[in-house]
């Protein structure tokens, strides 16, 4: 029986995926578990494995196409088998809005929703963006299958100045003289210095998500300065052992990840999520690390972080970083996070605040370790310290809970030699 290859949905909010490349050619034999294609989502470029054995055929999507999730883009066939026809899209929970033609003589609604001029489809996300940016989709033709208007089409139109006001009515008389006769009262303050910089789809969606988080999640922040003397000593002590057993050097990030995982185990609310006006307590502690890649930031996840040793954390962190830099992250690498750490210490940043990744309840911002003047036993001394800033969702945790969590992180870092293994 033929096996359909569909555009996967790697997260709840995903509506489309961009086909980056096929790893197999049409007519080529494929085995279950082999890498079949690469897909770009809002988080990363991920590799998708074949769901079964077969010959790749019936390919309908080419590299660079943006495809709705659940849509069949190819088939895995038995020898001599033909691709099925008229197959409905897989049910993924993604709702598509189709704009029906208006009935003759029907009264116009008071506040019409954006629809396409050709009566094509428009996704709910694109519809929302059109309202927010004042884009008249009647002037657009979508780039999606069948002329579907996608979120990317709306953002491109908004950047190019296509809006409802830019589409004049044929019967309306101009309310003012033509623009050619108008004179500006003053020159623009800043002239463009060059063409706009192209932004990848990951970068565009990342910008949208961070804006949404910052404007809808009630952030609040608590900060602690941490004496890193024990952290430095333990790292140096464990480098040879873990390098020998796991083939990787322990970093400060690895130790911080382990300390955070221990604290999350003690504070389940901080490991919780906010969704549908409810707090969900997650049964697993999955710490994500924000990693900078070309033109974007991805969050790669270390699963069950509180249940594995320091050597395994270091090994997974290294492997995830290598796959992220090579655009070889797999779906399991970027899903399921319950808390995120963003470390900018390697860039000599003393302290910063990070934006929460919904629906997570918090994110920890880590600054650089540096020698600083501090009070030591009532006297002036110099110690290596670092700043930790916790961003929390006030709907999930209050100030006392957040402070207690951060305090336990600090205690773990001070006592790291007692539990690191």
């Amino acid at each position: 029986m033929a096996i359909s290859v569909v555009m996967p949905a790697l997260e709840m909010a995903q509506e489309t995926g961009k086909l980056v490349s096929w790893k197999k050619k049409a007519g080529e034999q494929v085995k279950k578990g082999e890498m079949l294609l690469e897909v770009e989502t809002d988080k990363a470029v991920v590799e998708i494995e074949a769901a079964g054995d077969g010959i790749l055929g019936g390919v309908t999507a080419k590299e660079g196409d943006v495809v709705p999730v659940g849509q069949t883009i190819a088939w895995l066939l038995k020898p001599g088998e033909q691709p099925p026809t008229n197959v409905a899209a897989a049910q993924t929970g993604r709702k598509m809005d189709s704009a029906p033609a208006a009935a003759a003589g029907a009264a116009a609604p008071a506040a019409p929703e954006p629809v396409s001029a050709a009566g094509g489809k428009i996704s709910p996300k694109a519809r929302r963006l059109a309202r927010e940016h004042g884009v008249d989709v009647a002037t657009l033709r979508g780039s999606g299958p069948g002329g579907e208007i996608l979120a990317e089409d709306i953002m491109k139109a908004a950047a190019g100045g296509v809006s409802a006001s830019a589409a004049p009515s044929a019967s309306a008389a101009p309310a003012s003289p033509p623009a050619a006769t108008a004179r500006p009262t003053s020159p623009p303050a800043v002239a463009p210095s060059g063409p706009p910089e192209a932004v990848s789809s990951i970068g565009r969606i990342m910008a949208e998500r961070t804006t949404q988080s910052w404007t809808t999640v009630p952030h609040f922040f608590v900060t602690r300065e941490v004496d890193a003397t024990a952290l430095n000593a333990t790292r140096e002590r464990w480098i040879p052992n873990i390098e020998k057993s796991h083939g990787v050097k322990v970093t400060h990030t690895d130790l911080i990840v382990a300390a955070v995982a221990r604290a999350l185990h003690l504070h389940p609310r901080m490991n919780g999520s906010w969704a549908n006006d409810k707090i969900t307590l997650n049964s697993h502690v999955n710490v994500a690390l924000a990693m900078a890649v070309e033109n974007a930031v991805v969050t790669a996840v270390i699963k069950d972080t509180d249940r594995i040793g320091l050597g395994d954390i270091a090994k997974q962190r290294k492997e995830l970083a290598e796959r992220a830099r090579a655009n070889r992250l797999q779906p399991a690498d970027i899903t399921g996070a319950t808390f995120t750490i963003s470390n900018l210490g390697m860039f000599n940043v003393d302290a910063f605040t990070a934006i929460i990744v919904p629906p997570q309840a918090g994110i920890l911002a880590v600054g650089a370790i540096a020698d600083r003047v501090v009070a030591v036993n009532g006297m002036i001394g110099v110690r290596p310290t670092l700043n930790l800033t916790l961003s929390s969702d006030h709907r999930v945790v209050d100030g006392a809970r957040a402070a207690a969590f951060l305090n336990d992180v600090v205690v773990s870092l001070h006592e790291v030699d007692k539990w690191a293994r």
Side-chain angles (χ1 to χ4, degrees):
M1 182 177 178
I3 301 173
S4 64
V5 179
V6 302
M7 177 58 66
L10 303 178
E11 57 173 321
M12 290 297 294
Q14 183 184 343
E15 296 180 352
T16 61
K18 181 178 180 181
L19 178 60
V20 176
S21 67
W22 286 103
K23 294 297 185 179
K24 298 288 184 178
K25 297 179 180 178
E28 191 171 353
Q29 181 68 42
V30 179
K31 293 183 179 180
K32 182 178 180 180
E34 286 187 323
M35 295 304 171
L36 184 58
L37 66 154
E38 285 183 319
V39 173
E40 181 180 284
T41 72
D42 63 320
K43 291 184 176 180
V45 176
V46 297
E47 294 182 327
I48 306 300
E49 298 179 353
D53 299 338
I55 299 172
L56 182 62
V59 178
T60 59
K62 63 182 183 298
E63 296 178 357
D65 284 352
V66 177
V67 182
V69 298
Q71 179 172 307
T72 298
I73 56 177
W75 295 89
L76 296 177
L77 309 168
K78 295 181 179 179
E81 189 177 18
Q82 295 298 317
T85 57
N86 299 324
V87 177
Q91 296 300 312
T92 62
R94 176 179 180 269
K95 178 182 177 182
M96 290 302 304
D97 294 334
S98 180
E113 295 282 355
V115 295
S116 71
K121 295 180 178 179
I122 178 171
S123 72
K125 181 178 180 180
R127 186 182 296 279
R128 174 177 58 81
L129 290 173
R131 288 195 298 265
E132 292 176 355
H133 293 275
V135 174
D136 181 5
V137 296
T139 65
L140 303 180
R141 181 163 296 279
S143 61
E148 176 190 346
I149 297 176
L150 306 176
E152 290 186 355
D153 301 322
I154 300 298
M155 298 310 296
K156 288 179 181 178
V162 178
S163 65
S165 61
S169 170
S171 60
S176 59
T181 64
R183 294 179 181 272
T185 57
S186 60
V190 179
S193 58
E197 180 180 351
V199 181
S200 67
S201 59
I202 292 179
R204 285 195 299 272
I205 301 179
M206 183 182 70
E208 179 185 336
R209 293 290 174 84
T210 52
T211 300
Q212 182 182 19
S213 174
W214 184 248
T215 55
T216 62
V217 177
H219 287 63
F220 79 99
F221 313 96
V222 288
T223 302
R224 286 285 298 271
E225 185 177 36
V226 185
D227 188 333
T229 303
L231 188 66
N232 288 342
T234 300
R235 176 177 176 268
E236 293 301 321
R237 186 177 299 113
W238 279 94
I239 281 179
N241 294 337
I242 293 181
E243 187 172 12
K244 182 178 180 180
S245 62
H246 291 78
V248 61
K249 289 185 177 181
V250 177
T251 67
H252 291 103
T253 297
D254 300 326
L255 290 164
I256 293 171
V257 168
V260 166
R262 288 170 60 84
L264 288 171
H265 186 78
L266 298 174
H267 298 268
R269 185 71 76 91
M270 198 71 240
N271 193 55
S273 303
W274 177 267
N276 300 320
D277 295 330
K278 294 181 180 179
I279 298 172
T280 300
L281 300 183
N282 298 302
S283 58
H284 295 268
V285 174
N286 300 328
V287 177
L289 288 173
M291 298 179 178
V293 296
E294 186 176 0
N295 297 325
V297 175
V298 300
T299 51
V301 187
I302 300 175
K303 301 292 177 64
D304 293 320
T305 323
D306 60 329
R307 302 179 186 178
I308 60 178
L310 184 58
D312 290 328
I313 290 175
K315 184 177 180 180
Q316 288 191 43
R317 184 263 314 155
K318 180 183 178 183
E319 292 172 350
L320 289 168
E322 290 174 348
R323 289 202 291 272
R325 286 192 292 267
N327 284 334
R328 292 295 183 269
L329 287 171
Q330 300 177 15
D333 296 334
I334 62 173
T335 56
T338 59
F339 189 88
T340 299
I341 296 174
S342 179
N343 187 352
L344 294 180
M346 65 286 296
F347 299 107
N348 297 319
V349 172
D350 290 327
F352 66 104
T353 55
I355 298 175
I356 295 170
V357 182
Q360 297 167 34
I363 181 171
L364 185 68
V366 182
I369 296 177
D371 287 339
R372 297 180 175 93
V373 177
V374 296
V376 180
N377 297 324
M379 302 181 66
I380 296 176
V382 176
R383 290 288 188 274
T385 67
L386 76 157
N387 292 302
L388 302 178
T389 302
L390 174 67
S391 306
S392 299
D393 184 339
H394 214 310
R395 298 170 298 184
V396 182
V397 294
D398 55 27
R401 290 178 187 269
F405 166 77
L406 186 56
N407 185 71
D408 280 343
V409 173
V410 174
V411 169
S412 290
L413 293 176
H414 286 163
E415 300 177 349
V416 62
D417 197 48
K418 296 180 180 180
W419 52 263
R421 60 190 190 279

XYZ file of all heavy atoms in Angstrom, residues 356-402:
333
model
N 10.421 35.506 26.794
C 9.900 34.163 27.034
C 9.445 33.518 25.731
O 8.935 34.182 24.826
C 8.726 34.235 28.033
C 9.235 34.723 29.390
C 8.017 32.891 28.174
C 8.126 35.058 30.367
N 9.633 32.208 25.646
C 9.174 31.421 24.503
C 7.857 30.749 24.900
O 7.864 29.735 25.595
C 10.211 30.356 24.106
C 9.727 29.585 22.876
C 11.575 30.983 23.851
N 6.705 31.316 24.520
C 5.424 30.704 24.902
C 5.306 29.281 24.334
O 5.845 29.006 23.263
C 4.388 31.626 24.263
C 5.098 32.921 24.054
C 6.514 32.536 23.729
N 4.613 28.382 25.029
C 3.851 28.610 26.259
C 4.666 28.393 27.532
O 4.094 28.209 28.599
C 2.757 27.549 26.151
C 3.440 26.402 25.479
C 4.384 27.036 24.486
N 6.003 28.390 27.423
C 6.841 28.182 28.603
C 6.641 29.313 29.614
O 6.265 30.424 29.257
C 8.317 28.101 28.196
C 8.657 26.932 27.284
C 10.026 27.053 26.668
O 10.957 27.565 27.278
N 10.171 26.589 25.438
N 6.926 29.004 30.883
C 6.715 29.980 31.950
C 7.934 30.848 32.198
O 7.834 31.854 32.904
C 6.326 29.268 33.242
N 9.099 30.490 31.644
C 10.279 31.296 31.935
C 11.451 31.011 31.027
O 11.488 30.012 30.297
N 12.408 31.918 31.082
C 13.668 31.785 30.349
C 14.752 32.433 31.204
O 14.526 33.473 31.825
C 13.586 32.432 28.948
C 14.914 32.257 28.183
C 13.212 33.905 29.031
C 14.805 32.680 26.714
N 15.914 31.805 31.259
C 17.020 32.302 32.075
C 18.093 32.900 31.178
O 18.612 32.226 30.277
C 17.619 31.172 32.918
C 18.712 31.595 33.909
C 18.114 32.450 35.029
C 19.415 30.373 34.495
N 18.433 34.166 31.420
C 19.482 34.854 30.677
C 20.779 34.799 31.479
O 20.803 35.172 32.658
C 19.088 36.307 30.416
N 21.855 34.334 30.831
C 23.137 34.115 31.505
C 24.182 35.054 30.927
O 24.392 35.098 29.716
C 23.603 32.651 31.346
C 24.912 32.422 32.080
C 22.523 31.689 31.849
N 24.833 35.814 31.801
C 25.874 36.734 31.376
C 27.265 36.130 31.498
O 27.433 34.953 31.853
N 28.262 36.927 31.234
C 29.648 36.464 31.221
C 30.200 36.323 32.636
O 29.830 37.070 33.549
C 30.516 37.437 30.425
N 31.093 35.356 32.796
C 31.849 35.234 34.046
C 33.049 36.160 33.959
O 33.836 36.089 33.014
C 32.305 33.784 34.273
C 31.094 32.864 34.446
C 33.220 33.696 35.498
C 31.453 31.400 34.606
N 33.181 37.047 34.942
C 34.288 38.008 34.944
C 34.678 38.322 36.378
O 33.849 38.218 37.297
C 33.889 39.286 34.199
N 35.946 38.690 36.576
C 36.397 39.096 37.909
C 35.789 40.450 38.253
O 35.912 41.419 37.490
C 37.920 39.195 37.939
C 38.592 37.834 37.915
O 37.915 36.841 38.264
O 39.777 37.750 37.544
N 35.136 40.505 39.415
C 34.487 41.734 39.842
C 34.787 41.973 41.321
O 35.062 41.033 42.084
C 32.979 41.657 39.616
C 32.596 41.513 38.142
C 31.077 41.445 37.968
N 30.709 41.436 36.552
C 30.512 40.329 35.841
N 30.659 39.139 36.414
N 30.180 40.400 34.565
N 34.723 43.233 41.704
C 34.956 43.613 43.088
C 33.687 43.320 43.886
O 32.609 43.816 43.562
C 35.329 45.099 43.204
C 35.489 45.493 44.662
C 36.606 45.384 42.420
N 33.820 42.512 44.938
C 32.679 42.131 45.770
C 33.096 42.158 47.241
O 34.290 42.249 47.565
C 32.171 40.720 45.406
C 31.637 40.681 43.992
C 33.268 39.684 45.592
N 32.107 42.071 48.100
C 32.380 41.985 49.537
C 32.675 40.534 49.905
O 31.881 39.636 49.606
C 31.194 42.505 50.338
N 33.813 40.287 50.563
C 34.209 38.946 50.986
C 34.529 38.999 52.479
O 35.514 39.616 52.897
C 35.435 38.443 50.197
C 35.814 37.042 50.666
C 35.160 38.460 48.700
N 33.654 38.373 53.281
C 33.837 38.367 54.735
C 33.988 39.787 55.295
O 34.855 40.062 56.141
C 35.046 37.515 55.118
C 34.866 36.055 54.732
O 33.757 35.517 54.803
N 35.955 35.418 54.311
N 33.182 40.699 54.793
C 33.192 42.064 55.278
C 34.319 42.915 54.754
O 34.472 44.063 55.192
N 35.085 42.390 53.811
C 36.204 43.145 53.237
C 36.067 43.177 51.719
O 35.316 42.396 51.122
C 37.538 42.514 53.641
C 37.745 42.434 55.149
S 39.350 41.715 55.582
C 40.460 42.972 54.947
N 36.797 44.085 51.090
C 36.779 44.195 49.632
C 37.623 43.063 49.042
O 38.765 42.836 49.456
C 37.331 45.553 49.178
C 36.424 46.679 49.665
C 37.452 45.605 47.654
C 36.936 48.062 49.336
N 37.042 42.343 48.086
C 37.755 41.260 47.423
C 37.390 41.193 45.952
O 36.515 41.921 45.472
N 38.063 40.326 45.233
C 37.799 40.119 43.806
C 37.433 38.652 43.610
O 38.166 37.760 44.032
C 39.026 40.489 42.941
C 38.740 40.171 41.479
C 39.376 41.965 43.116
N 36.311 38.422 42.988
C 35.837 37.067 42.735
C 35.283 36.972 41.314
O 34.752 37.954 40.774
C 34.724 36.689 43.717
C 35.171 36.496 45.148
C 35.970 35.196 45.289
N 36.244 34.909 46.686
C 37.280 35.380 47.371
N 38.121 36.214 46.758
N 37.464 35.054 48.632
N 35.357 35.779 40.698
C 34.678 35.590 39.412
C 33.171 35.478 39.659
O 32.727 34.663 40.475
C 35.258 34.270 38.894
C 35.658 33.521 40.131
C 36.093 34.565 41.115
N 32.394 36.307 39.023
C 30.937 36.278 39.209
C 30.238 36.294 37.856
O 30.828 36.663 36.828
C 30.448 37.470 40.039
O 30.639 38.684 39.300
C 31.186 37.557 41.368
N 28.974 35.908 37.865
C 28.133 36.028 36.668
C 26.746 36.462 37.102
O 26.339 36.237 38.252
C 28.051 34.717 35.887
C 27.158 33.591 36.421
C 26.757 32.655 35.294
C 27.881 32.802 37.500
N 26.013 37.088 36.194
C 24.667 37.556 36.461
C 23.647 36.647 35.784
O 23.777 36.323 34.589
C 24.477 38.986 35.949
C 25.293 39.988 36.748
O 25.132 40.080 37.963
N 26.175 40.716 36.078
N 22.636 36.242 36.556
C 21.527 35.461 36.036
C 20.262 36.299 36.131
O 19.961 36.843 37.194
C 21.335 34.170 36.845
C 22.519 33.204 36.935
C 22.148 32.015 37.810
C 22.947 32.741 35.549
N 19.526 36.399 35.031
C 18.268 37.135 35.027
C 17.161 36.209 34.550
O 17.218 35.682 33.436
C 18.332 38.372 34.113
O 19.392 39.225 34.555
C 17.022 39.140 34.152
N 16.179 36.010 35.415
C 15.052 35.131 35.101
C 13.869 35.960 34.615
O 13.411 36.869 35.312
C 14.651 34.334 36.345
C 13.402 33.469 36.223
C 13.622 32.323 35.246
C 12.985 32.929 37.593
N 13.402 35.650 33.402
C 12.156 36.231 32.891
C 11.043 35.231 33.150
O 11.166 34.059 32.798
C 12.251 36.503 31.385
O 13.365 37.298 31.071
N 9.957 35.693 33.773
C 8.862 34.796 34.131
C 7.536 35.323 33.616
O 7.336 36.532 33.498
C 8.775 34.631 35.653
O 9.960 34.082 36.169
N 6.627 34.392 33.343
C 5.260 34.715 32.964
C 4.456 34.857 34.256
O 4.243 33.880 34.977
C 4.688 33.600 32.085
C 3.300 33.909 31.557
O 2.605 34.761 32.154
O 2.896 33.285 30.558
N 4.008 36.079 34.536
C 3.348 36.350 35.810
C 1.999 35.627 35.935
O 1.433 35.532 37.025
C 3.133 37.856 35.981
C 3.238 38.305 37.402
N 2.554 37.695 38.428
C 3.946 39.312 37.987
C 2.829 38.293 39.567
N 3.676 39.279 39.334
N 1.476 35.107 34.833
C 0.240 34.335 34.902
C 0.483 32.955 35.493
O -0.441 32.312 35.991
C -0.370 34.198 33.500
C -0.765 35.520 32.860
C -1.133 35.339 31.404
N -0.011 34.832 30.611
C -0.043 34.659 29.291
N -1.163 34.968 28.621
N 1.003 34.202 28.651
N 1.735 32.485 35.419
C 2.068 31.140 35.889
C 2.749 31.179 37.245
O 2.447 30.371 38.129
C 2.970 30.415 34.863
C 3.271 28.987 35.322
C 2.318 30.397 33.484
N 3.686 32.104 37.423
C 4.410 32.207 38.691
C 4.379 33.652 39.181
O 4.441 34.587 38.386
C 5.873 31.733 38.559
C 5.939 30.246 38.268
C 6.615 32.504 37.485
N 4.292 33.812 40.490
C 4.382 35.153 41.058
C 5.830 35.445 41.437
O 6.729 34.616 41.242
C 3.462 35.293 42.268
C 3.715 34.230 43.329
O 4.861 33.725 43.422
O 2.773 33.890 44.061
N 6.069 36.632 41.979
C 7.433 37.027 42.292
C 8.106 36.132 43.304
O 9.291 35.816 43.183
N 7.367 35.682 44.313
C 7.961 34.836 45.342
C 8.394 33.488 44.775
O 9.471 32.975 45.101
C 6.961 34.630 46.482
N 7.540 32.894 43.918
C 7.895 31.609 43.307
C 9.130 31.753 42.409
O 10.017 30.903 42.422
C 6.727 31.080 42.478
C 5.523 30.622 43.291
C 4.428 30.158 42.344
N 3.188 29.845 43.026
C 2.862 28.642 43.485
N 3.712 27.643 43.334
N 1.708 28.435 44.079
N 9.156 32.824 41.632
C 10.294 33.034 40.738
C 11.579 33.240 41.534
O 12.637 32.690 41.185
C 10.036 34.240 39.838
